[in-house]
Amino acid sequence: MPKFDKITIPGNGERITWDGDELQIPHHPIIPVIEGDGIGPDIMKATRRVLDAAVEKTYGDSKKLAWMDIYAGESAAAKYDGNYLPDETVQAIEHYHVALKGPLTTPVGGGFRSLNVGLRQIMDLYACVRPVSYFEGVPSPVRKPEKMDVVIFRENTEDVYAGIEWHEGSTEAEKVINFLNNTFGTSIRPDSGIGIKPISVTGTKRLVRMAIQYAIKHKRESVTLVHKGNIMKYTEGAFRDWGYQVAKDEFADQTITEDELWDKFDGNRPEGKIVIKDRIADSMLQQILTRTAEYDVVATPNLNGDYLSDACAAQVGGLGLAPGANIGDKVALFEATHGTAPKYANQDKVNPSSVLLSGVMMLEHLGWQDAADAIVAAVGQTIRQKKVTYDLARLMGDVDPLKTSEFATAIIENL
Ligand code: NAD
């Protein structure tokens, strides 16, 4: 048991542990929670209320989340003498394995590009998981938004996002350019900035493995590898090849390739088999609009995943409702996909759905599927009743917006 300075361990809670490959979930799991900055406290309060109500309604007294407040961002700086990311915050998440997090302000000059990136790097949370599906009644720019039901696994640690870059005119850029031009005969202009795009066997295989395992567990139909391998052959093309290799080497009984689907099964997916296919990233951005229903679980390198996640979210009515998680081998951190929206802080005004639905993903991760399903159904019903916060109200037209807390109450009433 770690010793904490400013974190109080709830007396009634138990630790989530690993037994081999299996997560062991007690009846009162301790869940570290970072409330977050800006709108964080408002949306997290609403979220905790709904999650607690759903768990109570579903399981009575037999199960309960034991929340444990931990600190990052401005609330940490105030408590820990200016430290935005205290060590014990990371230790708590690593020790308890599953945590929920609100949005965080990025301190200027804090050593990290952002606290969120920092948390992901320190704990090696290598998969950014974004489920995107539609809630009836949400205004959408497309005609059939209900066709969207994808779960995107975006690689979180590599690619041009690895942070290995040097600005134009720097000594480092000059050295790299000279080295490449002199050694390999490239002709990079001397006035170039340089960024490096590493994509490894390790990084790719663990991501695709997680996506396939998810598809198996949740009885999904396909896993699509999205890449730009026609141009970037040894990074993005290799991602595709290594992805197929994981499926073949480790999941031969549960998967078939799209080629096999047509060659051997005339396009009819055999019961229980997951089809592994691949698409080139630019084509995928078209296909997700025009043949939305053909896509299910997606695994993709970092930059493609960034674009694709937002494009998919836009199709079902924007980022306000999109949940997310950052997951590693031992730790899963569930979090809102938007920022701290500081101009709305403490106004009890904004939409808590992103962090609430991240909480739903967390319940699914715990195996508390009935409580998760109950919340999704209640959120759907609440939106259909046009009981929504300002962001959706103004798009729906002629709807009086609810406060964050009132929206939460409406969801609870619909549970
Ligand atoms: P933002 O997401 O905080 O806000 C942009 C706009 O989106 C807001 O002004 C608001 O109009 C709308 N919005 C966001 N969340 C909403 C919600 N729940 N309900 C209704 N409307 C909502 O993005 P930003 O203004 O670029 O960033 C503000 C701060 O947040 C920065 O410090 C940034 O670093 C940080 N940030 C944190 C995270 C994170 O913690 N994961 C992500 C993005 C940005």
Side-chain angles (χ1 to χ4, degrees):
M1 167 93 66
K3 269 214 168 334
F4 296 125
D5 181 19
K6 297 192 164 68
I7 299 173
T8 309
I9 301 171
N12 58 348
E14 299 152 85
R15 181 181 170 218
I16 294 171
T17 53
W18 282 95
D19 181 8
D21 292 345
E22 292 278 322
L23 207 51
Q24 300 297 313
I25 313 295
H27 288 299
H28 299 92
I30 292 177
I31 307 289
V33 54
I34 297 171
E35 210 170 44
D37 300 324
I39 56 174
D42 279 348
I43 58 177
M44 199 57 90
K45 247 180 235 102
T47 294
R48 285 202 216 189
R49 278 179 57 215
V50 176
L51 292 174
D52 285 342
V55 169
E56 191 186 341
K57 196 131 196 160
T58 312
Y59 307 113
D61 291 338
S62 70
K63 288 182 183 174
K64 190 171 171 39
L65 299 167
W67 299 108
M68 183 177 83
D69 282 300
I70 61 171
Y71 309 93
E74 285 164 359
S75 65
K79 268 187 183 296
Y80 293 82
D81 207 16
N83 188 351
Y84 279 77
L85 188 52
D87 289 346
E88 67 176 22
T89 296
V90 174
Q91 282 161 10
I93 300 172
E94 289 185 323
H95 184 69
Y96 291 102
H97 298 127
V98 174
L100 186 63
K101 171 186 158 301
L104 296 174
T105 308
T106 291
V108 179
F112 291 115
R113 275 176 297 162
S114 87
L115 288 176
N116 305 298
V117 174
L119 279 164
R120 284 168 216 165
Q121 283 176 349
I122 293 168
M123 295 186 283
D124 197 20
L125 305 178
Y126 57 81
C128 174
V129 185
R130 293 263 177 96
V132 188
S133 60
Y134 180 65
F135 282 101
E136 190 191 327
V138 174
S140 152
V142 301
R143 270 183 291 147
K144 296 206 161 109
E146 66 279 3
K147 285 185 184 282
M148 172 79 70
D149 183 10
V150 298
V151 183
I152 301 167
F153 285 74
R154 165 185 169 194
E155 207 288 326
N156 239 348
T157 66
E158 305 196 315
D159 202 349
V160 280
Y161 280 53
I164 310 168
E165 52 177 7
W166 298 284
H167 64 76
E168 181 273 325
S170 65
T171 321
E172 292 89 345
E174 192 187 327
K175 273 191 181 171
V176 174
I177 292 166
N178 285 341
F179 171 73
L180 293 174
N181 286 351
N182 295 337
T183 315
F184 297 116
T186 54
S187 42
I188 302 171
R189 292 192 188 96
D191 59 348
S192 300
I194 294 288
I196 303 285
K197 180 182 175 79
I199 290 198
S200 67
V201 176
T202 307
T204 300
K205 285 193 170 177
R206 66 184 183 172
L207 178 88
V208 175
R209 182 178 300 120
M210 192 187 277
I212 297 176
Q213 282 166 341
Y214 178 95
I216 293 169
K217 184 168 168 201
H218 294 268
K219 301 190 166 42
R220 309 290 294 221
E221 294 184 0
S222 67
V223 174
T224 305
L225 308 167
V226 177
H227 61 89
K228 189 71 188 161
N230 54 332
I231 306 295
M232 292 173 271
K233 297 184 196 309
Y234 307 124
T235 49
E236 302 258 338
F239 177 93
R240 172 200 57 214
D241 296 345
W242 295 325
Y244 277 117
Q245 209 179 326
V246 174
K248 187 166 166 244
D249 293 348
E250 302 177 27
F251 302 98
D253 290 345
Q254 296 104 324
T255 62
I256 55 170
T257 63
E258 193 173 36
D259 286 346
E260 286 170 328
L261 175 72
W262 290 100
D263 293 349
K264 295 189 192 159
F265 303 100
D266 207 19
N268 299 308
R269 186 176 66 94
E271 182 73 25
K273 295 273 190 197
I274 291 156
V275 179
I276 310 292
K277 49 190 175 182
D278 75 278
R279 295 290 181 272
I280 293 182
D282 45 327
S283 152
M284 182 67 181
L285 285 167
Q286 293 190 23
Q287 297 238 322
I288 200 68
L289 259 178
T290 55
R291 307 178 73 130
T292 314
E294 290 177 22
Y295 298 96
D296 193 348
V297 175
V298 171
T300 186
N302 212 332
L303 179 63
N304 301 334
D306 198 359
Y307 298 153
L308 192 61
S309 300
D310 280 18
C312 290
Q315 229 169 292
V316 295
L319 282 171
L321 289 167
N326 289 292
I327 302 185
D329 283 331
K330 293 289 175 210
V331 168
L333 180 60
F334 296 86
E335 59 177 298
T337 51
H338 55 71
T340 57
K343 68 180 174 191
Y344 295 120
N346 303 316
Q347 293 179 24
D348 195 16
K349 175 166 179 160
V350 297
N351 190 343
S353 297
S354 176
V355 76
L356 172 60
L357 295 170
S358 304
V360 167
M361 288 175 76
M362 183 183 82
L363 294 179
E364 290 178 348
H365 188 74
L366 302 183
W368 295 10
Q369 190 67 45
D370 290 343
D373 292 345
I375 296 174
V376 172
V379 170
Q381 193 175 346
T382 308
I383 293 172
R384 281 195 300 278
Q385 292 166 339
K386 301 199 172 185
K387 294 179 180 171
V388 292
T389 45
Y390 85 98
D391 50 312
L392 292 181
R394 68 179 172 196
L395 296 174
M396 289 174 171
D398 206 21
V399 170
D400 284 333
L402 299 188
K403 293 179 174 182
T404 311
S405 54
E406 293 168 339
F407 180 61
T409 303
I411 296 169
I412 292 169
E413 284 167 2
N414 280 327
L415 278 169

